[in-house]
Amino acid sequence: MIGWLYDFAGRRVEKGELGARRHELVAGLEGAVLEVGAGTGLNLPHYERATRVVAVEPDPGMAGRLRKRAPEASVPVEIVAGKAESLPFEDGTYDTVVATFVLCSVEDPQTALAEIHRVLRPGGGLVLLEHVRGRGRLARWQDRFTPLHRKVAGNCHLNRATKDEVAAAGFDVTDLRDVRIPGSHPLVRSGLQGVAIRTSS
């Protein structure tokens, strides 16, 4: 996806409720933080207490804007080219992993979540803000439109059951809650937000 277009499309909502959501999720994070699929770096200005943030992004168009935004962060930021399905880090490296609007577009969510589980220390948190499969009629429309949406929106799936996938990967999902994604069209309005805890297994 073209980085400038992504930023342009979300500029209004990022200044309002969605930006506030990002701040709520990451401002208080401490220690070593890994952000997977960091995109154009919209979370970076919201980190306040982390010892360091390592931002992984595979798309060159996104990564170019990510590098430009990194100086806006008040914490040290390192940018790494890579995919969530194959993270170049040792086991248990990070206190927290952040994933915002990325698990919808990874090629293999279970492999990505297994990698996230691996690089987190036991008891570490996976901080999530994702759009997910809805219920009833909405879910059926998401199923119908996902093949087209993947082609025009960087492999973004409208219909992933992300909470179930996170639980299956060995996380405690008790604190994940259903939310409405602000400023979005109806097919991406169903959301999931919160922190899933890595179990020791």
Side-chain angles (χ1 to χ4, degrees):
M1 181 178 287
I2 302 172
W4 70 264
L5 181 60
Y6 183 86
D7 283 347
F8 179 79
R11 68 195 186 286
R12 181 183 60 82
V13 72
E14 289 291 345
K15 293 179 180 179
E17 185 179 351
L18 188 53
R21 294 272 190 95
R22 293 182 189 276
H23 190 82
E24 174 189 346
L25 285 168
V26 308
L29 299 180
E30 298 181 338
V33 177
L34 172 66
E35 183 169 339
V36 294
T40 64
L42 293 172
N43 287 329
L44 295 186
H46 299 288
Y47 289 102
E48 295 181 350
R49 300 175 66 179
T51 305
R52 66 185 179 108
V53 175
V54 177
V56 173
E57 175 53 48
D59 183 88
M62 295 284 194
R65 296 182 74 85
L66 174 62
R67 291 186 190 94
K68 292 179 181 178
R69 191 167 271 136
E72 298 177 20
S74 59
V75 301
V77 175
E78 177 186 354
I79 298 169
V80 176
K83 299 176 66 175
E85 294 94 334
S86 182
L87 295 171
F89 309 111
E90 298 293 327
D91 296 1
T93 300
Y94 293 97
D95 299 294
T96 308
V97 174
V98 174
T100 57
F101 305 115
V102 61
L103 295 177
C104 59
S105 60
V106 296
E107 289 291 343
D108 185 341
Q110 279 303 306
T111 299
L113 286 163
E115 279 288 273
I116 290 169
H117 190 279
R118 180 183 67 78
V119 302
L120 265 174
R121 64 169 176 78
L126 169 57
V127 175
L128 289 171
L129 178 59
E130 298 281 345
H131 69 83
V132 296
R133 192 172 195 269
R135 297 184 176 88
R137 180 180 296 178
L138 172 59
R140 292 190 291 273
W141 279 109
Q142 289 172 318
D143 292 340
R144 292 187 187 105
F145 276 95
T146 286
L148 174 62
H149 197 260
R150 289 180 60 192
K151 293 179 180 179
V152 301
N155 198 46
C156 177
H157 293 67
L158 299 167
N159 60 349
R160 281 192 166 158
T162 299
K163 187 174 184 179
D164 292 341
E165 292 169 342
V166 171
F171 290 88
D172 180 345
V173 297
T174 303
D175 290 333
L176 294 182
R177 68 184 191 274
D178 295 334
V179 296
R180 178 186 177 279
I181 303 298
S184 57
H185 66 75
L187 291 177
V188 293
R189 199 161 287 164
S190 295
L192 185 69
Q193 178 176 330
V195 183
I197 303 300
R198 181 203 189 277
T199 60
S200 57
S201 58

